[in-house]
Amino acid sequence: MKNLANRFFIRKASQKYKKTFMTKSIPLLQSLRCRLIVSVVIIEIVMLSILVLNNISIIQTTHTDRLRDTASSMIQQIANTSGSYMVAVDYATLEDYLKNVTHYRELLYLAIFDRDDNMVISLGPFPQKNRPHDDISPAQTDDEIFDITEDIKVAGQPMGKVSIGFSLGIMQDAIKKARIRGISIAAIEIILTVLVTVAIGIGLTRRLGILSNAAAEVEAGNYSVTVPTEICDEVGKTAIAFNRMVSEVSNRSQQLQRAKSRSTKLLRENRQLIHYSLEIQEAERKHLARELHDELGQCLTAIQADAELIRDLSDNDKRIETSAVAIMDVSSRVYDVVHSMMHRLRPGILDNLGLVEALKDEIKAWESRNTETRCNFTTRGDLSQLSEHSNIMLYRIVQECLTNICKYAQAKTVTISLQNTTEKLLLEVRDNGNGFDIKQHNKGLGLIGMRERVESLNGSLKIKSEPGKGVGIFISVPLS
Amino acid sequence: MRLLILSGYILLSLFTSTGLANTNRHCSQFGPITFGILPFVSAEQLVIRFTPLVNYLSRHLNTQIRIETAPNFIAFSQRTTKDKRYGILFTAPHFYPLARKAGYRLIASVDSPGMRAVFVVPKASTIQNINDLKGRRLATVDTKSLATLLIRKHLNQHNINPDKDLNIIATPTHNASLLSTYHGVTDASALMQPPYAAASQQVRDNMRIIAKTQRAPHIPISVSERISKSCAAEISHLLLDMTSTAEGRQVLEHNRFSGFRLSSAAEYEKFSEQIFHP
């Protein structure tokens, strides 16, 4: 059953491979199959050509050497034997002897010349008109006949010459047959090699195609894919490893997915918590400011009023008057402190006049504290309809930015821009101060606080800065 | 008339001058001269033996002299008498009278008391004398050879019929005859003494001479009628004078000749008469 399923998968995978892999029109020279076949065929052709040429050369050399040795041996034998007959001028006996010893297929002619160079014996068609010249080797003849001549000597005395000629036809036929046989064998071997290589190439690349296809499926996120592993060769082992890898990737991916979900949930909860925390913080600050205003403010006003009354009723008693004035001063100072605390806890102007006026007030106060820095504040769009939460968050962000500029930037100019684009609210705070390396200073508490406030508004925060080139803080908050 | 006389004089002068010219031609004016040697040993042995002599003559006569022989005695004899093939002839004493009839002129002969044939047997053979040869195999050379004629005469003189009392086996050469006995193919061998003396020491050490024939005149050297008198005289003089030079003596030593001397045709005629008509 499993095998059946595997075969089914192979067929389906092959079809799919053909549809996807083949239709992707891989250039011919990049095709593994094509390269494999072409490489093997080229190597085969080159090696077989060398082999065939070498064999032909060896055969030619062997035949040439054989004929030369045969001719040399024969002419030496005839020259040695003919001497006595030549001395005795016994040509008839010599001719009989030569007829008996020269039954050789390749021998074309044999001629014996006496000391006056007269031909005394001729066997075979000796070329009478153009007497042949001696050839060095059967491979270097000019008339398809290997001609050689040898002196006939007896006891060192010249008695004549023997000249023999061998037809090269038989040798050339043998070489030709050997050449045809060698080329035929080489051609058959090349054809067989091509067929086998094509078969192996198709088999190999088909399974590689299945693997490639499965990898593409995995890449697309389908971890349920498996490749058949019924053939246990290198590709089969790769397929087993691939299946194992896919299974592992699938498990890890699922784990990752679960971790991601858990992390996302935690992040969401964390953001909600921060949001809630900030809301509580602001609400507490607001409540504290109101309490200070309502309770401590009334008390201080009462103390002030009572101190004034005491001063008025002191009847010029300097001690009473002085004490009353001191109480008035202290209460006034306490009131300023309390007022300042109330402002920091919850600027009343924000609730009364809105974000823009609160920011202008804050900027003005900040400029009064930092007289060497000029701050430009611009707005665009309707900013009066923002929620209370957005107002306080944006206010706190600008407040934090100005605090940071005061502490670190030593800037000459600060530009604050706030605009409503109907889709989102954009806040930009730029300065031309010292700047800093973001990679080293992006985790300060101030920045983390700003980021938390932005995230509580579901917005995004970007910081751009380089040492010596100031800082730019860009905040985008969706209005929807 | 005067013109006719003048023409006749010119023709006579030309004829005479041609004849005289032929008579007076030196050897250097001839083309290659063939030195015909009787095939008493193998052709190769002949060449080995006579090449120094031929080269000596060639050098001093300033012409090319070539050794030539024949397949056998009969062929040599025919080439001598019918074809007159050889310019210089080195033949057996008993053949010279025939050559003389063909125009060959005797110019010298080997200076020696004469040649004789010897009967040799293996050293360990039971054959002690010529009478022990009866019923045995005796190797000789060609039937027309001097050796054969001498031994036949010698056998006859000892009342042994060479055709009935023993088995005479003809071999191509003296060496072949000697070696057949040496190797045990024949019981005894009869050959001329000079070739026996020229055989290898090893062979001779294992052989024993049991009899010697009468002497025959040594080899005559003659020239054909094609050779001019002047050239014949040159050759003769050169041969006779060989002992006077170191080079000549060296050549003679190689041939085992003591020298050459003048001889008369009558000497050979007489010997021939004796040998053919005992």
Side-chain angles (χ1 to χ4, degrees), chain A residues 241-449:
Chain A
F242 177 82
N243 287 344
R244 222 178 283 146
M245 182 192 73
V246 170
S247 172
E248 190 65 23
V249 168
S250 177
N251 290 338
R252 294 283 175 88
S253 181
Q254 285 171 8
Q255 285 174 8
L256 198 65
Q257 197 63 37
R258 283 197 293 274
K260 190 180 174 184
S261 300
R262 204 160 46 241
S263 175
T264 306
K265 188 181 172 186
L266 285 172
L267 191 64
R268 195 163 55 242
E269 287 173 358
N270 190 36
R271 279 184 179 173
Q272 284 176 353
L273 201 61
I274 290 168
H275 184 70
Y276 184 63
S277 168
L278 288 172
E279 276 186 351
I280 289 172
Q281 187 187 38
E282 289 302 326
E284 192 61 29
R285 281 182 175 181
K286 187 177 177 180
H287 174 73
L288 193 60
R290 186 162 293 142
E291 286 293 313
L292 282 172
H293 178 266
D294 292 350
E295 297 299 327
L296 197 59
Q298 293 301 324
C299 289
L300 287 172
T301 304
I303 289 168
Q304 187 110 21
D306 287 341
E308 283 179 7
L309 186 60
I310 291 168
R311 185 196 64 192
D312 292 341
L313 295 175
S314 64
D315 290 333
N316 294 324
D317 185 345
K318 288 297 178 186
R319 286 193 303 167
I320 294 168
E321 191 177 332
T322 304
S323 296
V325 169
I327 290 166
M328 284 169 62
D329 289 343
V330 169
S331 64
S332 176
R333 219 175 296 136
V334 169
Y335 182 81
D336 288 344
V337 171
V338 169
H339 186 264
S340 176
M341 282 175 67
M342 282 165 53
H343 185 76
R344 283 202 303 276
L345 286 169
R346 182 74 178 190
I349 194 168
L350 186 66
D351 294 328
N352 298 328
L353 299 176
L355 178 63
V356 176
E357 291 305 319
L359 287 176
K360 283 179 180 174
D361 185 58
E362 177 65 24
I363 288 165
K364 189 178 176 183
W366 185 83
E367 277 184 321
S368 66
R369 291 193 299 275
N370 300 278
T371 53
E372 292 185 354
T373 307
R374 192 165 54 86
C375 183
N376 297 322
F377 175 56
T378 57
T379 61
R380 186 185 290 177
D382 182 11
L383 299 165
S384 61
Q385 303 300 319
L386 300 177
S387 67
E388 185 187 349
H389 179 69
S390 298
N391 281 343
I392 191 64
M393 288 301 126
L394 290 169
Y395 179 82
R396 294 292 182 205
I397 289 166
V398 172
Q399 205 173 27
E400 181 65 31
C401 287
L402 290 172
T403 302
N404 286 340
I405 289 166
C406 176
K407 279 183 182 174
Y408 309 114
Q410 296 177 340
K412 296 291 182 191
T413 306
V414 178
T415 305
I416 301 170
S417 166
L418 183 64
Q419 56 178 315
N420 183 350
T421 62
T422 69
E423 290 178 357
K424 53 189 174 185
L425 193 67
L426 300 176
L427 172 62
E428 289 181 15
V429 180
R430 298 170 187 258
D431 70 66
N432 62 351
N434 294 331
F436 62 92
D437 187 352
I438 291 173
K439 291 176 183 173
Q440 295 177 358
H441 297 95
N442 63 346
K443 291 182 180 177
L445 287 173
L447 287 177
I448 291 170

Side-chain angles (χ1 to χ4, degrees), chain A residues 67 105-108 144-146 165-171:
Chain A
L67 187 59
R105 264 195 323 151
E106 288 172 293
L107 184 66
L108 193 66
E144 301 296 313
I145 299 170
F146 177 49
F166 283 83
S167 167
L168 301 182
I170 293 170
M171 183 186 83

